[in-house]
Amino acid sequence: MSVARPARSLLGRCVTSTRTSASIPLSARSFHTSAPCQQRRSRFRNVKAQELGLLKPENMAKLQKDKFPDYTPEELAELKQKYSPEHIESIQAGEKAVDTEDMIIQGRMRDDAYRPTYVDDYTVLDPRYDIKPDVPGTPQEIHWPSRGDWIDEYGMRLSKMVEKKTDDQLTRAMIRALRKVKQSKGEEMIDLTVEELDEMEKNPELAKKYMVEDDDAPEPDANASGPEYLTRAQAMQLDEAVVAAWQEELKKIAEHKDLTAEPSSLELMQDGPAGVIRVHSAELPELGKVPGVEGRFLKEEDAEDGGSDEAAAYQELKRLTGMSLSELMSLPAKVLVRRRVTNQTRLGKVHSISIVAMAGNGNGYLGLGVAKSTQPEIAIETARMLAMRNMKPIRRYENRTIFGHSTGKVSGTVVEMFTRPPGYGLRVPSRIFEMCRACGIHDLSVRMPRSTNPMNAVKAAYQALTNQPDPAQIAIGRGKKMVDARKVYYGGDVH
């Protein structure tokens, strides 16, 4: 039997109930519980033209003069020193094209701390935005001189460099002598100021401007007299003082060997691949090292090596380990694991190789080195160097086995090492066999109950060798004698 009521009866009840019930007025509610949003305000203070008083022409002219003044003669002279006449002409044309009244009315004058600065100095190149300008040059045919011609040309260039540096050195000595004479007793006799003498000492080329007279100028009369001329006695006294001071400066130059007039490395590179001479050559310039960067060049070869380390690759390793080159070269080093990796990039597949190498001295020292590179030779050499640098002492019992039971775990690989009696031998995997033989362990057994990943196995074995239990520390911690601790570990073998 159905218990559902007919729809007609339900609709009738709803209609009758609505007719009989009184209507109750309800207040309208908003659908949002938060407060209504206020009108957004600008981040910067907005000032109307009426508040600034710009409705009057005189106020507008005053504001234009204050905010956008014309260039003063001093500022124009300073701009002419920085920019060329073409730049000055373009700047003036831009000033005329922009109406300051439009900028005031239509623009917004910001006075906050975050306003941008639109004035840029285009005389200084910014490496982040600007590109280095090309030096104008006309390519010429490549000249391949013979060995004799090249030596002659190089000798001539060196002689000119030394001659120029010698002249500059003598000029600086003369300027220092003039400064001494001026400070002592030549204030009125020498009309050059101290600032001019300092500039001449920094740039000896300015000496021609101040000291060398023009050939076309008329020579002064020897019998002329006046306050601007020196007497014969004053001239002789000044000459004697300058010559004496100059002789002292020359003696200082002769005593100091570091003040020799030798060409610098930068001057010697002028004719090299990055020199100025390559501007007029069609030959492709070579990519060389940046001159003047200290600490990035190869060190000089040690004389004790006997020419075995021409690239100076072992110099830093010798300093860190304190070993000689012959000792480093005699260390047994071997590659244990090679793993190739391919990285898929938008430029294609990039292949690289990861190398794990070990090095030891056969007498209780062992080290591991891990390196990765796209070139196998570079990765192998780097791993060998790192293994030699990372060598650590390995504790050995009776110089043949380990102390007790040692365990190492890396990821899912577990290596368990057990000490064994004399003559037992090395019953271990091949890679751990090489490690034990490199550090001088001859009696050992190894069990690997879980993963046998080669790289993790080598790392776990090295961890087990470096974290062996120390019976002496255990005996001290438990308050026992060393004999008792060794009896527990080695079954009464206390020899």
Side-chain angles (χ1 to χ4, degrees):
M1 181 177 65
S2 177
V3 296
R5 294 183 179 181
R8 184 177 62 253
S9 62
L10 294 176
L11 181 60
R13 287 191 177 188
C14 293
V15 172
T16 55
S17 62
T18 54
R19 289 176 180 176
T20 56
S21 60
S23 60
I24 302 173
L26 298 177
S27 60
R29 297 181 181 179
S30 61
F31 292 98
H32 301 281
T33 58
S34 59
C37 296
Q38 299 179 359
Q39 187 179 1
R40 290 188 178 182
R41 297 181 179 178
S42 176
R43 294 175 55 192
F44 312 107
R45 184 169 58 90
N46 190 9
V47 183
K48 298 181 180 180
Q50 185 177 1
E51 298 177 4
L52 292 175
L54 300 180
L55 301 180
K56 298 181 180 180
E58 57 271 12
N59 294 342
M60 175 65 75
K62 181 180 179 182
L63 184 63
Q64 289 181 5
K65 188 175 181 181
D66 295 341
K67 295 294 183 179
F68 304 100
D70 296 334
Y71 285 114
T72 61
E74 293 79 7
E75 292 176 349
L76 288 175
E78 187 176 356
L79 288 176
K80 290 180 180 179
Q81 294 179 358
K82 291 185 177 181
Y83 300 104
S84 61
E86 293 80 5
H87 290 162
I88 296 295
E89 186 178 356
S90 62
I91 290 173
Q92 293 177 353
E95 291 285 344
K96 293 179 180 178
V98 177
D99 191 0
T100 57
E101 185 176 355
D102 293 341
M103 294 180 63
I104 294 175
I105 294 177
Q106 302 179 11
R108 175 180 292 175
M109 304 300 296
R110 292 178 55 179
D111 56 355
D112 57 291
Y114 302 99
R115 62 183 183 276
T117 55
Y118 297 101
V119 180
D120 295 333
D121 188 3
Y122 294 101
T123 60
V124 180
L125 295 181
D126 193 339
R128 297 174 296 177
Y129 316 114
D130 303 327
I131 303 176
K132 183 179 179 181
D134 296 334
V135 181
T138 56
Q140 301 174 357
E141 293 295 332
I142 302 176
H143 175 58
W144 302 102
S146 61
R147 182 174 180 83
D149 297 340
W150 184 87
I151 292 176
D152 295 340
E153 295 177 3
Y154 190 70
M156 290 293 295
R157 289 195 296 268
L158 285 182
S159 62
K160 290 180 180 179
M161 289 182 188
V162 174
E163 183 179 358
K164 182 179 182 302
K165 290 184 73 67
T166 305
D167 294 342
D168 294 345
Q169 200 173 33
L170 295 177
T171 304
R172 290 191 179 95
M174 174 61 73
I175 293 169
R176 289 194 295 269
L178 290 174
R179 186 190 293 110
K180 287 184 178 180
V181 174
K182 181 178 180 63
Q183 293 175 354
S184 60
K185 52 185 177 180
E187 287 287 346
E188 299 178 355
M189 298 180 181
I190 300 177
D191 56 351
L192 294 174
T193 61
V194 179
E195 291 76 10
E196 293 175 347
L197 292 174
D198 294 339
E199 293 180 359
M200 291 165 58
E201 187 176 1
K202 293 179 182 178
N203 186 11
E205 296 293 335
L206 296 177
K208 300 177 182 179
K209 174 182 176 182
Y210 292 104
M211 302 181 64
V212 179
E213 297 180 356
D214 191 1
D215 297 337
D216 299 335
E219 297 183 358
D221 188 6
N223 299 324
S225 61
E228 66 275 8
Y229 296 102
L230 296 177
T231 61
R232 187 177 298 276
Q234 290 177 343
M236 294 180 63
Q237 182 182 1
L238 180 61
D239 291 341
E240 293 176 357
V242 170
V243 171
W246 192 28
Q247 293 294 335
E248 293 180 1
E249 294 293 333
L250 293 179
K251 289 181 181 179
K252 292 181 181 179
I253 295 176
E255 292 175 358
H256 292 78
K257 296 182 180 180
D258 55 343
L259 298 178
T260 55
E262 297 180 358
S264 61
S265 58
L266 292 177
E267 294 174 345
L268 292 177
M269 290 182 64
Q270 293 299 320
D271 296 328
V276 182
I277 194 174
R278 298 299 178 184
V279 176
H280 304 283
S281 175
E283 184 181 2
L284 181 66
E286 299 179 1
L287 298 177
K289 292 185 177 180
V290 179
V293 180
E294 298 180 359
R296 297 185 179 273
F297 295 97
L298 292 177
K299 298 182 179 180
E300 296 182 0
E301 182 184 1
D302 194 354
E304 298 179 357
D305 298 340
S308 302
D309 188 16
E310 296 181 357
Y314 289 87
Q315 298 301 320
E316 186 67 15
L317 199 59
K318 288 169 56 180
R319 185 185 69 82
L320 293 174
T321 59
M323 305 172 67
S324 61
L325 180 62
S326 59
E327 294 175 348
L328 291 174
M329 298 292 288
S330 63
L331 291 177
K334 192 171 183 179
V335 176
L336 298 179
V337 183
R338 299 170 185 259
R339 184 175 66 180
R340 294 187 176 273
V341 180
T342 303
N343 184 22
Q344 180 68 43
T345 64
R346 62 188 181 90
L347 301 178
K349 293 182 179 180
V350 179
H351 302 277
S352 60
I353 184 171
S354 181
I355 301 294
V356 179
M358 64 89 190
N361 64 346
N363 192 19
Y365 274 83
L366 182 67
L368 285 183
V370 181
K372 186 177 181 181
S373 176
T374 56
Q375 300 294 330
E377 296 80 6
I378 298 176
I380 293 172
E381 187 66 21
T382 306
R384 289 181 64 256
M385 292 290 186
L386 291 175
M388 294 178 185
R389 190 190 69 177
N390 299 333
M391 285 195 305
K392 294 181 181 179
I394 304 298
R395 300 179 65 253
R396 297 180 299 163
Y397 175 70
E398 295 180 349
N399 293 335
R400 61 175 184 83
T401 184
I402 65 173
F403 282 81
H405 175 208
S406 181
T407 304
K409 182 178 183 299
V410 174
S411 187
T413 303
V414 178
V415 176
E416 298 178 355
M417 294 185 176
F418 304 92
T419 182
R420 288 295 178 258
Y424 185 85
L426 294 174
R427 302 183 186 182
V428 297
S430 59
R431 296 180 178 86
I432 302 179
F433 178 86
E434 297 293 342
M435 296 173 63
C436 294
R437 189 170 64 173
C439 66
I441 293 178
H442 311 291
D443 301 318
L444 189 70
S445 65
V446 171
R447 188 168 70 94
M448 299 174 62
R450 296 176 60 182
S451 173
T452 59
N453 181 274
M455 187 167 290
N456 292 341
V458 170
K459 294 180 180 179
Y462 186 72
Q463 180 182 345
L465 289 173
T466 54
N467 296 328
Q468 301 177 32
D470 189 357
Q473 295 294 333
I474 295 175
I476 293 174
R478 297 186 180 184
K480 301 292 184 179
K481 295 181 180 180
M482 182 62 187
V483 176
D484 300 334
R486 296 179 69 173
K487 181 179 180 181
V488 173
Y489 270 87
Y490 309 110
D493 187 6
V494 295
H495 299 290

